[in-house]
Amino acid sequence: MLFESQKIEYTHSGQAKLIFPDIGLDAGESLLVLGKSGSGKTTLLNLLAGLLKPEAGEIKLAGKNLAALNGQELDLFRGKEIGIVFQKPHLLAALNVKENLQMAHFFSRKKGQNIEELLGELGLAGKAKSSVLTLSEGEAQRVSIARALATSPKLILADEPTSSLDDENAEKVVKLLKTQAAKIGAALIIVTHDQRVKAHIPNFVEVKSV
Amino acid sequence: MNLVKLSWKYLTFRPLSTSLNVLLLALGLAIITVLLLIQDQFEKKMNQDAAGIDLVVGAKGSPLQLILAGVYHIDFPTGNIPMEEAQKLSRNRLVKNIIPMALGDNYQGFRIVGTNHDYPALYEATLESGALWRKPFEVVLGAEVAEKSGYKVGDEFLGSHGISVGSHEHDANQFKVAGILKPTGNVLDRLILTSVESIWYTHDAEEPENSDSTENHTEHHNIDFSKDIAIKGFPKTTESRALTTLLIQYRNPMAAIQLPRQINSGTSMQAASPSFEMARLFELLGVGITLLQGLAVVIIGISGLGIFIALYNSLKERKYDLAILRAIGASRIQLLFLIFLEGVMLTFMGAILGILLGHTFLSVIISQNEQGVVGALQPWIFLRQELWIVVYALTVGVLASIIPAFAAYQTSIAKQLTKA
């Protein structure tokens, strides 16, 4: 198994304990995490990305136990092996498109994919030197996907990546995530409640609040 | 891409706020630079010009004025003193050497000083060309005078009465350039040296009948231009003549205590010590300098505050950015470093600009004031203390970034990125 999580639990202060379903994925596989708002989908994503520490359970990626890494090691490991696509693109406004992707290379200390090629595959070939402020929402989301892919991670996590996009762009984004994950041999997990995504990825787990 | 580049991108992303802060800091530092340069060069110059002169004797009046006129050739002389009385001083056992001076004429603002060869020797001046004066009306030009006037050895010119430009010309006798001094870096550069006799004869030739009260010309002057002038000591004359100031070197430390009192109470002249009067002057100027320094510190403080506010505000807008950086692999320390780097880069630019601005200010002041005291300062000399200005500035940068950097350090990625 490339990626697995077992019996992870987390409690937000003043709220009921969340117990998450186990996940196991091989390279190139994709999975949807479904659930109502407030059910803890995003919390699961944060836990899987190592942004939050689980109270119990184990998360393993490429044979490494996330809980065993200290702060700085975890940051670097995340940079190298986990690509995250957020609900909003959150690009660095001070930098242009290419520089945004270069930051991923710099902080992860890993030369993953060639940036020009990657941008080309995502239909952003002409945008490398553009300011991120001039991009449309769909383009910006694709740039953020490119950023997540730039280091060729082993795991791609996407948090509601399509919620603010129209049908056409939503489909493009999901297809891109799938094909790119397959291409670089990464496991793909998409957290969503978007029906349009389900059509493309049959595998799913559901998060329920207890 | 690296952290320095990223910081730079963020700085240039807010050009207005960045340049305002840089400019404000630069202004504060420029004031400090100017003060530093003036203070350093002024004190050095003042000490250099007064080196070897223990006491200045002249007509009664303001002792500070006597020093400024007699040593630095800035202020108006206090008046004339009779030569007989001056000569009595030279027989005093406390006096090692005495240099007589006759002041009061100028050529295009450069002062003509009648004295003997001991005066250039006092400053260890050497000749660039020609020789020292030997005959009446022969002059030696200081390096700056020669440069500005363009005169060479053998050229002739007319002096003017008074010590500022525009007074009436002494048209009876022409001065003849006998030599030009090498640059000395002190007051000599801006002076025209000649014999005391030349000064006397200039005035005699003009006003042979209605002589002034201090110079009681009872007999007709027979000026023999071929006659040698006095190279050392006092000029030889049988007439009753006047001098302006005397520069005195003490024979022993006892003189410092006894001689000024003897002169001030026992003669119609006054004695003033350059070191004492200059210390007094710096004390007076000190208030102004302290005030300016205070102002500079306040401006630097405000600019520090400005940098702090700019960083802190930008941090609010950049919480997402910082979280993203963490998500793509940046550590907390790197974010801390990123913010510090921004503050430090900002202040470093301010420091460099401030120092350049300071030097530019000074060169503007100097170009506006070529004939004055300030005119002799060098605007493009860099002092070691200016490195301290850079250090101060960077300290301001670090201090201003502490709180924002710490806030960046503590940014929680999960909370920032996943709240919708």
Side-chain angles (χ1 to χ4, degrees):
Chain A
M1 279 276 149
L2 178 65
F3 175 77
E4 53 190 331
S5 76
Q6 278 173 338
K7 299 187 185 101
I8 35 177
E9 295 176 17
Y10 190 82
T11 316
H12 286 287
S13 55
Q15 286 175 21
K17 183 194 270 184
L18 296 166
I19 302 169
F20 297 101
D22 293 353
I23 297 171
L25 284 175
D26 268 319
E29 285 188 330
S30 33
L31 176 78
L32 287 188
V33 175
L34 302 174
K36 295 189 206 100
S37 325
S39 60
K41 292 192 304 276
T42 297
T43 306
L44 176 61
L45 184 116
N46 283 336
L47 289 166
L48 298 184
L51 299 175
L52 287 177
K53 265 201 184 322
E55 283 153 13
E58 229 180 27
I59 302 164
K60 270 187 178 171
L61 175 60
K64 272 218 170 138
N65 187 352
L66 294 196
L69 300 171
N70 71 25
Q72 212 162 332
E73 287 167 354
L74 185 60
D75 286 327
L76 197 58
F77 183 72
R78 184 190 310 118
K80 280 190 164 110
E81 307 300 354
I82 305 177
I84 312 172
V85 180
F86 297 94
Q87 197 168 351
K88 296 235 172 71
H90 294 315
L91 301 175
L92 308 183
L95 307 178
N96 67 26
V97 170
K98 192 178 174 185
E99 289 165 342
N100 262 279
L101 303 194
Q102 282 173 332
M103 291 319 299
H105 282 170
F106 169 69
F107 282 113
S108 66
R109 295 178 214 164
K110 184 178 173 187
K111 281 261 172 281
Q113 307 204 50
N114 181 291
I115 287 170
E116 309 283 347
E117 274 174 31
L118 185 61
L119 285 175
E121 283 171 34
L122 270 63
L124 295 160
K127 299 280 182 186
K129 292 266 154 50
S130 310
S131 156
V132 298
L133 298 172
T134 62
L135 300 177
S136 73
E137 204 153 349
E139 285 170 336
Q141 190 59 294
R142 273 181 281 149
V143 173
S144 82
I145 291 170
R147 180 175 58 197
L149 296 166
T151 55
S152 303
K154 297 252 168 23
L155 173 68
I156 298 166
L157 297 169
D159 182 17
E160 309 263 14
T162 55
S163 65
S164 59
L165 301 179
D166 56 32
D167 290 352
E168 197 185 327
N169 272 312
E171 199 185 323
K172 231 188 224 172
V173 160
V174 176
K175 277 188 175 162
L176 267 176
L177 281 170
K178 258 184 79 174
T179 51
Q180 287 292 328
K183 191 188 130 199
I184 59 175
L188 170 67
I189 297 175
I190 300 178
V191 172
T192 192
H193 63 262
D194 191 334
Q195 296 299 326
R196 297 174 295 186
V197 184
K198 287 181 196 164
H200 296 276
I201 299 169
N203 252 354
F204 72 91
V205 292
E206 207 159 346
V207 178
K208 286 182 207 136
S209 35
V210 183
Chain B
M1 269 292 154
N2 55 42
L3 280 182
V4 176
K5 249 184 173 169
L6 184 61
S7 295
W8 177 251
K9 289 276 178 188
Y10 274 118
L11 285 178
T12 49
F13 188 59
R14 313 180 301 263
L16 288 183
S17 144
T18 300
S19 44
L20 177 71
N21 285 319
V22 167
L23 214 64
L24 205 58
L25 183 68
L27 203 66
L29 294 174
I31 295 178
I32 297 214
T33 308
V34 170
L35 289 180
L36 215 62
L37 286 172
I38 292 187
Q39 211 172 1
D40 178 81
Q41 295 196 29
F42 231 56
E43 266 182 34
K44 223 181 257 169
K45 245 186 114 45
M46 288 293 176
N47 292 334
Q48 214 177 24
D49 289 352
I53 303 170
D54 294 323
L55 199 67
V56 180
V57 175
K60 286 220 190 285
S62 149
L64 182 58
Q65 189 188 349
L66 178 64
I67 298 294
L68 291 177
V71 179
Y72 303 107
H73 301 276
I74 307 165
D75 209 347
F76 293 86
T78 44
N80 287 341
I81 50 173
M83 198 169 82
E84 292 81 38
E85 211 161 2
Q87 271 172 318
K88 261 183 233 159
L89 264 183
S90 66
R91 290 190 286 274
N92 192 310
R93 60 183 170 80
L94 295 168
V95 174
K96 184 173 148 207
N97 190 19
I98 198 160
I99 303 173
M101 289 177 113
L103 307 173
D105 281 356
N106 83 89
Y107 170 72
Q108 293 185 354
F110 294 111
R111 299 192 183 196
I112 301 172
V113 178
T115 183
N116 62 26
H117 288 192
D118 286 347
Y119 188 58
L122 181 69
Y123 295 108
E124 289 164 0
T126 46
L127 284 158
E128 175 80 50
S129 59
L132 290 179
W133 62 96
R134 297 267 164 197
K135 306 264 183 247
F137 297 106
E138 282 188 343
V139 298
V140 167
L141 304 183
E144 206 184 311
V145 184
E147 194 203 328
K148 291 262 162 65
S149 65
Y151 287 137
K152 305 257 173 309
V153 174
D155 288 346
E156 295 192 348
F157 62 89
L158 285 173
S160 312
H161 189 66
I163 56 170
S164 45
V165 202
S167 15
H168 84 269
E169 291 200 339
H170 293 302
D171 41 15
N173 293 103
Q174 291 228 320
F175 286 115
K176 190 172 173 220
V177 181
I180 290 166
L181 293 177
K182 280 192 183 146
T184 53
N186 56 37
V187 69
L188 280 190
D189 288 350
R190 288 180 293 120
L191 295 180
I192 298 169
L193 304 181
T194 184
S195 56
V196 176
E197 290 90 331
S198 306
I199 304 285
W200 287 343
Y201 299 158
T202 311
H203 293 91
D204 293 346
E206 277 209 336
E207 29 201 306
E209 277 122 49
N210 45 351
S211 54
D212 56 40
S213 54
T214 50
E215 291 180 55
N216 189 17
H217 310 292
T218 43
E219 52 194 296
H220 183 72
H221 300 291
N222 290 316
I223 305 171
D224 179 4
F225 289 148
S226 59
K227 191 176 76 183
D228 273 1
I229 48 86
I231 286 163
K232 285 209 165 289
F234 286 90
K236 285 164 196 62
T237 172
T238 48
E239 300 158 32
S240 141
R241 288 288 197 174
L243 291 168
T244 318
T245 51
L246 308 169
L247 307 180
I248 290 178
Q249 285 178 308
Y250 294 146
R251 183 171 299 281
N252 55 39
M254 269 307 284
I257 304 161
Q258 293 181 355
L259 198 60
R261 199 182 310 156
Q262 281 178 18
I263 295 170
N264 284 331
S265 57
T267 68
S268 66
M269 304 180 288
Q270 74 160 335
S273 144
S275 56
F276 180 80
E277 293 306 324
M278 287 331 281
R280 208 165 64 95
L281 178 66
F282 284 133
E283 209 174 290
L284 293 174
L285 292 176
V287 181
I289 289 173
T290 313
L291 204 71
L292 270 175
Q293 273 169 342
L295 187 71
V297 167
V298 168
I299 294 177
I300 291 170
I302 291 173
S303 79
L305 206 63
I307 292 167
F308 164 69
I309 291 169
L311 285 177
Y312 201 75
N313 277 342
S314 82
L315 212 61
K316 274 188 209 152
E317 302 158 12
R318 270 160 55 186
K319 273 187 176 162
Y320 286 119
D321 290 21
L322 293 172
I324 283 289
L325 293 179
R326 289 290 307 281
I328 61 175
S331 64
R332 286 170 183 276
I333 298 289
Q334 281 177 311
L335 296 195
L336 186 85
F337 197 60
L338 179 73
I339 304 295
F340 269 124
L341 214 56
E342 252 176 79
V344 166
M345 277 166 79
L346 202 70
T347 44
F348 185 71
M349 286 192 286
I352 299 300
L353 188 68
I355 288 173
L356 290 180
L357 216 59
H359 285 273
T360 315
F361 277 168
L362 194 63
S363 69
V364 169
I365 294 173
I366 289 168
S367 68
Q368 296 290 313
N369 202 340
E370 283 191 337
Q371 302 281 340
V373 231
V374 198
L377 299 183
Q378 295 294 326
W380 296 108
I381 285 177
F382 288 86
L383 303 174
R384 189 164 302 168
Q385 284 106 304
E386 290 176 57
L387 283 181
W388 283 108
I389 291 187
V390 178
V391 174
Y392 288 144
L394 295 186
T395 311
V396 168
V398 169
L399 286 179
S401 355
I402 285 180
I403 293 175
F406 197 64
Y409 183 83
Q410 288 196 314
T411 309
S412 155
I413 338 172
K415 267 187 213 152
Q416 279 310 324
L417 290 176
T418 47
K419 74 181 173 199

